[in-house]
Amino acid sequence: MTASSTSFKSPRAHAPTTTTTTTTPNTRIISSAQPYRTLVTAFLIWKAVLFAIALGSSLVGDAYDTSADLLVHGGVEAATTGQQRAQQPLGLSGGLVSRFASWDAIYFLSSAKRGYIYEQEWAFGAGLPIVVRGILQGARHVGIAPPADGGVLPEAVIGVTVANTAHFLSVIVLFHLGQVVWRDRTLSLVAALLHIVSPAGMFLTAPYMESSYAFLAFTGYLLFALSSQAESRALTRDVYLVLAGIFFGLATAFRSNGILNGIPFAWEVLRHLPNLPHKPFDTIRRLVALGIGGICVALGSIIPQAIAYGQFCSGASGVDPRPWCEAYLPSIFTFVQEHYWNVGFLRYWTISNLPLFLLATPMLAILVRSGVEQPTSARQPVIAAKPVESAQLTSLVQSAAAAQVVLAALAIAMYHVQIITRISSGYPLWYWWVAGSLIRGEKVGGYIVKFMVLYALIQGVLFTSFLPPA
């Protein structure tokens, strides 16, 4: 369905609704006549810039911390013991890949190499290590990958490939999601372009969870949105809802904040409960589908916790149970975040961390402001001929807004606040809000884009040099 056949109120609000180009004082003319060519071109250019930064860092000299080089070349033991690098140099390609293996990527690649061994490794989602290990085992089975040795270069190469592939797929899915929700190709295209230059920057290129999380989360939102188009086909609608829950659950297996994607399901349950006396059969059926979808989201967190409980708390490993095993709700994730990374309520509120709060302020402000403004009456999906679908999509927009506002609140109160610039990359609503601002020619949209690009570039230099913040 195109904009010409529908009446709607998108984030572009009072901007023209039918054209293949959009001109604003802050941007060049963006053509939506060939959206895929535009997206592919922009994606390749941006990735070339980021790879050039990583290459430049590898040519300048060693990173501040050489753990990544040791891990890629010598393996987990070399990285943990700090033993000297072997005589054979990494080479240009190996040196480039090692620059993407900085910070938490060391944990992801180590886990992909030999699974979870140490307790603190459970602070990180199992999704990426499982995918990387599975691809590498399959490649070795058919003889197109080198045999396992001490280093994690193969894991790092596949990790970078997975991250960039997932980033591109997330761009395409976000473009389609925008069209389903807003019926506006130009708005959807601009939002997808913004995701390309997300301030997450190098974290969407390195072997990190963010790009895979974004792809899975955006797919979950797309399936949830498509369910609104299937109101007359109850089975199709319910299948879409359950599939959305499955994708959200997979996203949660990559990043724990994926649990917030359960909000759309809870939101819909509360919205449809009053219909129970009037339409009991259809309402019960819908509530069951929503319940199953919500359970699937939760399973993305519960299953890894259960596996860890069996490993550390059952006595099967031959070691005494850890303290978290005795908790009322035993969670290895909560324990290791608190014990090893000092994550907890207001624990990050120290004078020394004030610069990190200032660094995170722009992204926090974007999340909160867009979360408050986007669901207002003038910026809701309104399809004149389909009020039920409009109500469903409006509910989805409102729940997406709630999810990102909650994320911002958690980042301020609980998290290492600087990570908000990268974990926000998997939330669609703020992209729509910024895109609408750009299309309407508002200065704030241009300022935000400048911040996004500048932050991503500076952060890329720091990341590939193993310098904070991360």
Side-chain angles (χ1 to χ4, degrees), residues 1 10 18 72 76 168 170 172 202 248 252 269 309 339 379:
M1 187 176 294
S10 79
T18 56
V72 169
V76 178
F168 178 72
S170 67
I172 300 301
M202 202 66 76
F248 282 143
T252 306
V269 166
Y309 187 88
H339 185 70
R379 296 177 183 176

Side-chain angles (χ1 to χ4, degrees), residues 155-213:
E155 285 82 3
V157 170
I158 292 176
V160 171
T161 303
V162 168
N164 286 278
T165 301
H167 186 195
F168 178 72
L169 292 176
S170 67
V171 169
I172 300 301
V173 173
L174 181 60
F175 173 64
H176 284 283
L177 173 61
Q179 292 188 93
V180 171
V181 173
W182 299 109
R183 305 300 199 271
D184 188 331
R185 173 177 283 193
T186 302
L187 174 80
S188 304
L189 176 59
V190 175
L193 289 169
L194 290 171
H195 180 52
I196 292 175
V197 296
S198 163
M202 202 66 76
F203 292 98
L204 298 176
T205 302
Y208 265 69
M209 307 288 192
E210 274 68 22
S211 57
S212 298
Y213 171 85

Side-chain angles (χ1 to χ4, degrees), residues 9 83 120 122 125 164 191 254 321 340 347 372 416 420 429 444:
K9 294 181 181 178
Q83 68 184 48
Q120 63 267 31
W122 288 87
N164 286 278
F254 279 78
Y340 294 99
R347 290 190 176 191
V372 171
H416 290 185
I420 194 64
L429 185 125
V444 65

Side-chain angles (χ1 to χ4, degrees), residues 110-409:
S110 299
S111 298
K113 178 76 173 181
R114 43 75 171 144
Y116 286 103
I117 295 178
Y118 304 108
E119 185 179 61
Q120 63 267 31
E121 293 173 340
W122 288 87
F124 307 99
L128 184 62
I130 290 174
V131 170
V132 170
R133 185 162 60 249
I135 292 174
L136 192 54
Q137 288 176 348
R140 284 174 176 150
H141 182 72
V142 298
I144 60 175
D149 58 14
V152 297
L153 181 59
E155 285 82 3
V157 170
I158 292 176
V160 171
T161 303
V162 168
N164 286 278
T165 301
H167 186 195
F168 178 72
L169 292 176
S170 67
V171 169
I172 300 301
V173 173
L174 181 60
F175 173 64
H176 284 283
L177 173 61
Q179 292 188 93
V180 171
V181 173
W182 299 109
R183 305 300 199 271
D184 188 331
R185 173 177 283 193
T186 302
L187 174 80
S188 304
L189 176 59
V190 175
L193 289 169
L194 290 171
H195 180 52
I196 292 175
V197 296
S198 163
M202 202 66 76
F203 292 98
L204 298 176
T205 302
Y208 265 69
M209 307 288 192
E210 274 68 22
S211 57
S212 298
Y213 171 85
F215 166 60
L216 294 167
F218 291 166
T219 302
Y221 274 108
L222 176 60
L223 291 165
F224 207 105
L226 288 172
S227 72
S228 67
Q229 298 180 346
E231 275 301 310
S232 61
R233 295 165 289 145
L235 178 60
T236 302
R237 177 199 67 199
D238 295 343
V239 169
Y240 274 135
L241 290 173
V242 173
L243 287 174
I246 291 172
F247 273 88
F248 282 143
L250 292 172
T252 306
F254 279 78
R255 282 213 59 91
S256 60
N257 55 280
I259 199 70
L260 296 178
N261 293 319
I263 290 178
F265 294 91
W267 202 279
E268 282 296 285
V269 166
L270 294 176
R271 199 170 70 88
H272 287 282
L273 271 178
N275 296 332
L276 192 56
H278 311 292
K279 298 179 180 179
F281 179 76
D282 184 68
T283 302
I284 290 174
R285 180 172 180 166
R286 187 194 300 268
L287 293 177
V288 169
L290 290 168
I292 294 173
I295 290 172
C296 289
V297 179
L299 287 176
S301 176
I302 293 173
I303 290 176
Q305 303 285 336
I307 294 173
Y309 187 88
Q311 178 176 334
F312 290 96
C313 304
S314 65
S317 60
V319 298
D320 293 335
R322 296 291 291 149
W324 62 270
C325 297
E326 307 299 326
Y328 181 70
L329 290 175
S331 170
I332 189 172
F333 176 79
T334 302
F335 174 78
V336 298
Q337 286 281 348
E338 178 181 350
H339 185 70
Y340 294 99
W341 277 273
N342 197 36
V343 172
F345 184 64
L346 302 186
R347 290 190 176 191
Y348 217 53
W349 286 36
T350 64
I351 296 298
S352 61
N353 286 331
L354 181 59
L356 298 175
F357 277 91
L358 295 175
L359 197 65
T361 295
M363 197 65 242
L364 291 170
I366 292 169
L367 290 173
V368 173
R369 182 173 173 181
S370 61
V372 171
E373 289 187 0
Q374 189 78 317
T376 59
S377 58
R379 296 177 183 176
Q380 293 178 358
V382 178
I383 306 170
K386 298 182 178 181
V388 175
E389 184 177 343
S390 296
Q392 294 282 103
L393 292 174
T394 297
S395 176
L396 181 59
V397 169
Q398 292 170 342
S399 61
Q404 72 173 42
V405 171
V406 171
L407 180 74

